[in-house]
Amino acid sequence: MLIQYRLIAFLSLVGAALFSVFEMAFYDAGQKRPGQDDPSRFMDTSFANLNEKKKSKPNILFILVDDLGYSDLSYTGSEFYETPNIDRIAREGTVFTNGYAAAPVCSPSRASIMTGKTPARHDITVHIGSPSGEDWRSRNRFSKLLPAEYTHNLPAEYVTMPEALREVGYKTFFAGKWHLGDKGSWPEDHGFDINIGGWTSGGPNGGYFDPYNNPNLPNRNPGENLSHRLADETVKFMKESNPSKTGKPFFAFLSFYAVHSPIQTSQDKWKKYRDKAEQMGIAEQGYAMGKYLPIRQVQDNPVYAGLVEQMDEAVGVVLKALDDLGLDENTIVIFTSDNGGVAAGDNFSTSNKPLRAGKGYQFEGGIREPYFIKIPGQSKPGEQIDFPVSGTDFYPTLLDLAGADLLPEEHNDGMSLLPLIKGEVPAERPLIWHFPHYGNQGGEPSSIIRRGDWKLIHYYEDGRKELYNLSQDIGETTDLAGKYPEKVREMGKELFAYLTEVGAKYPTPDSEYSEAKEEEHLRKVVTETMPALEKQRLDILSKEFDPDNNKWWGSMVTRD
């Protein structure tokens, strides 16, 4: 039982009573807030005060997209992809322009959302299933280091975000991708009352159209779109769990498999975006060579664009249901991604420019995300907040918005963003990433600290450090480590003090490393892989493109 963390009061009081309840909660939890001596700042944090007719806690809809890049939305600058429904969340909510995933790949990032802990602390530091130690060699890798060992399931002893919300009265629901352990560590084992589609696999085993090959998602209609199906299941849950019927608020976590590989779409979507790419002008060169792999430089893949749009359509279905059910005025909507867009590796799907690189990388393209929070009566529509925030912050933020005690011994690395949304300016804090692995996409074993505008990257292959000023160089083009050695020492010391404190694991040298073999491998990447990718890119953009013998992945079913 989580009795010690039970809800101490509903946020339906006003004036001095509300203030005194919050003061006890914050002091008991050891939490000090900027400006907490001013009782007036609590006068409108309660949903009951915002609408006298609403006496219940807010519902929560959390939308997590897999592998969606910062630049993959119309709202964040894409001229190629079309995302009107997601853009609506940004326009009506609060936009965190320096919003980050806690890791450059999925499992550690997702574990951080669930626990409020960084990957260095919870020890899921890479996507579950990735080889580590000497097993790394089995994948024909030719790298200097052997990746660190890591935990392969979400530890059962953690009080997760859904468990904490369920303890204070929420009905909890999960739909979509989980990828936080094998059976015994699925959503239903970590606080979700209902699980639709979440299991061991990190990708859509059957692709994006029914049949799904998913033990927790029964097939329903051959050719049905997976993103639309997950939206339908979420809407069904919201209808059945409408607080007007049940008397309980709900927490719905919609975790799309999209836009993870394999990228698939319908023929009409492909044609729409193929024609659009042609109208915009098809670039002669689509890739530039990174350290280990080519990195996509342009957004012009019509199959990926169609996959993005179908996911956006599914978001629209759920938002419309909130409106139709009369739940929009008392439902928090969160939208984010688990890591950067796939610019290299997997399907080389997108470009994250002006950010550098993408998923699996230590650069901004690998970790900076769309990060939107819509709080009815609280958010100033379209307001942008520049304070750096992380996936670890969702847990305490949602507890705060639910009127529950914060659990500082659980969400160790997160902070509630409610004061920020209310206009307060918290003290500067560091954000830390730990990725002691080689990303499948070409990223290097590294750890990162961001403090203010400064970002320091420590590389484990050779101990070198890079320093960037993100306010002046968002594309990380100019390494300032040589110019500011004292800043490098100061930030490096803070970074490794934290890693030591939490018992972080590190990669180790590979005694069988061969520089000659690595050079030969990289030569083939340049002379064989890169030309093949360029040819594939142009093939997909040709009018004669014919995937899988014109089967179009069984996608001819249309939505009613």
Side-chain angles (χ1 to χ4, degrees):
M1 293 297 292
L2 309 175
I3 297 175
Q4 65 268 39
Y5 299 137
R6 67 187 182 278
L7 180 67
I8 62 172
F10 291 104
L11 294 183
S12 59
L13 302 178
V14 294
L18 177 60
F19 175 65
S20 63
V21 169
F22 267 79
E23 284 293 275
M24 286 191 296
F26 291 147
Y27 280 115
D28 287 347
Q31 301 291 304
K32 293 272 187 175
R33 301 291 185 82
Q36 71 177 25
D37 293 330
D38 177 14
S40 65
R41 78 181 194 87
F42 293 111
M43 294 299 288
D44 60 353
T45 59
S46 165
F47 278 78
N49 287 335
L50 296 169
N51 187 338
E52 289 299 329
K53 296 180 181 180
K54 306 272 185 198
K55 297 298 182 183
S56 62
K57 301 182 189 71
N59 306 304
I60 302 165
L61 170 63
F62 196 119
I63 303 173
L64 178 64
V65 183
D66 195 20
D67 290 354
L68 185 78
Y70 180 85
S71 302
D72 280 352
L73 305 177
S74 305
Y75 183 88
T76 54
S78 177
E79 296 180 355
F80 188 55
Y81 311 131
E82 299 176 14
T83 54
N85 298 296
I86 299 169
D87 296 347
R88 174 190 165 188
I89 301 172
R91 289 195 309 270
E92 296 179 355
T94 301
V95 176
F96 290 86
T97 59
N98 286 279
Y100 288 96
V105 295
C106 58
S107 296
S109 175
R110 291 164 181 269
S112 292
I113 290 172
M114 292 296 163
T115 66
K117 306 175 190 292
T118 68
R121 191 187 295 272
H122 60 58
D123 196 45
I124 303 174
T125 48
V126 72
H127 68 273
I128 293 174
S130 179
S132 55
E134 294 186 358
D135 289 342
W136 180 246
R137 299 190 194 119
S138 67
R139 299 290 183 91
N140 294 318
R141 307 299 190 184
F142 304 95
S143 50
K144 293 180 181 179
L145 302 177
L146 296 175
E149 302 295 341
Y150 64 96
T151 297
H152 287 246
N153 58 272
L154 189 62
E157 62 266 26
Y158 294 157
V159 178
T160 63
M161 176 169 63
E163 286 174 327
L165 289 170
R166 187 165 67 179
E167 185 68 14
V168 298
Y170 278 79
K171 180 74 171 178
T172 58
F173 167 89
F174 184 92
K177 173 174 173 171
W178 178 245
H179 204 186
L180 287 175
D182 211 335
K183 191 169 185 178
S185 186
W186 285 356
E188 59 267 38
D189 303 304
H190 293 284
F192 287 102
D193 298 317
I194 300 171
N195 169 31
I196 304 292
W199 67 302
T200 308
S201 178
N205 273 21
Y208 284 99
F209 301 93
D210 184 328
Y212 302 118
N213 192 23
N214 183 322
N216 292 327
L217 184 65
N219 299 327
R220 186 173 71 173
N221 187 5
E224 173 187 64
N225 179 274
L226 176 57
S227 296
H228 291 168
R229 171 65 178 278
L230 295 176
D232 289 346
E233 296 288 352
T234 303
V235 170
K236 177 184 176 183
F237 166 76
M238 294 193 304
K239 287 180 178 178
E240 294 175 349
S241 302
N242 192 323
S244 64
K245 299 177 181 179
T246 66
K248 297 180 65 174
F250 64 73
F251 172 52
F253 199 105
L254 173 54
S255 178
F256 287 109
Y257 280 97
V259 290
H260 191 283
S261 64
I263 58 170
Q264 299 174 341
T265 193
S266 56
Q267 190 171 13
D268 62 319
K269 298 292 189 196
W270 163 80
K271 183 179 186 306
K272 170 184 175 178
Y273 286 102
R274 194 219 73 84
D275 293 347
K276 185 173 183 178
E278 188 173 62
Q279 292 165 7
M280 293 175 66
I282 297 174
E284 292 185 10
Q285 190 80 16
Y287 293 89
M289 189 62 196
K291 183 173 180 179
Y292 296 115
L293 284 173
I295 300 175
R296 195 179 188 101
Q297 303 296 301
V298 292
Q299 293 184 345
D300 64 359
N301 187 322
V303 178
Y304 182 74
L307 178 60
V308 170
E309 182 173 316
Q310 285 168 321
M311 178 273 298
D312 181 77
E313 289 171 347
V315 171
V317 168
V318 179
L319 295 181
K320 184 178 184 299
L322 284 178
D323 296 340
D324 293 345
L325 294 169
L327 297 172
D328 55 308
E329 292 184 3
N330 199 39
T331 300
I332 298 162
V333 179
I334 288 176
F335 180 90
T336 194
S337 176
D338 61 350
N339 49 247
V342 183
D346 301 343
N347 279 93
F348 296 82
S349 305
T350 191
S351 169
N352 298 291
K353 285 187 141 185
L355 305 184
R356 184 175 175 182
K359 176 183 178 180
Y361 282 83
Q362 61 276 13
F363 302 113
E364 291 294 281
I367 53 178
R368 193 180 292 215
E369 305 302 327
Y371 196 115
F372 311 147
I373 302 179
K374 177 187 173 185
I375 309 172
Q378 296 267 351
S379 297
K380 300 173 183 176
E383 181 183 27
Q384 296 189 350
I385 294 177
D386 297 332
F387 188 88
V389 298
S390 167
T392 60
D393 297 327
F394 290 121
Y395 187 164
T397 299
L398 290 179
L399 287 184
D400 208 354
L401 287 166
D405 280 335
L406 300 188
L407 312 181
E409 296 304 313
E410 291 296 333
H411 46 73
N412 316 63
D413 300 301
M415 61 174 275
S416 173
L417 303 181
L418 182 55
L420 261 173
I421 293 169
K422 295 294 295 175
E424 298 179 18
V425 181
E428 185 180 273
R429 60 163 181 172
L431 294 182
I432 289 174
W433 294 261
H434 183 58
F435 188 63
H437 308 272
Y438 292 94
N440 290 338
Q441 302 76 23
E444 300 176 61
S446 56
S447 293
I448 304 166
I449 180 170
R450 174 171 178 175
R451 179 173 277 285
D453 293 331
W454 294 97
K455 175 180 176 181
L456 181 78
I457 306 173
H458 172 89
Y459 292 90
Y460 289 104
E461 276 196 346
D462 54 13
R464 77 187 189 280
K465 293 178 174 62
E466 294 174 351
L467 181 69
Y468 298 100
N469 187 311
L470 297 177
S471 65
Q472 301 173 4
D473 182 21
I474 195 174
E476 295 168 286
T477 62
T478 306
D479 176 13
L480 300 174
K483 188 175 181 179
Y484 298 99
E486 187 56 38
K487 177 68 70 175
V488 171
R489 283 192 292 270
E490 173 189 312
M491 294 180 69
K493 181 178 180 181
E494 185 175 17
L495 170 62
F496 279 95
Y498 174 84
L499 295 178
T500 299
E501 175 191 341
V502 300
K505 297 175 184 175
Y506 301 98
T508 56
D510 186 354
S511 60
E512 298 183 13
Y513 168 70
S514 167
E515 184 176 0
K517 287 183 178 180
E518 183 178 36
E519 288 179 354
E520 175 61 17
H521 168 71
L522 293 176
R523 185 192 65 79
K524 289 183 178 180
V525 171
V526 173
T527 60
E528 299 176 13
T529 304
M530 191 160 171
L533 287 169
E534 290 288 5
K535 181 180 183 302
Q536 180 191 61
R537 170 178 161 263
L538 295 178
D539 286 346
I540 292 174
L541 286 163
S542 73
K543 293 181 180 180
E544 290 74 34
F545 176 59
D546 186 13
D548 197 19
N549 298 317
N550 204 31
K551 292 180 181 178
W552 287 98
W553 307 290
S555 62
M556 299 307 293
V557 171
T558 58
R559 188 175 183 83
D560 293 334

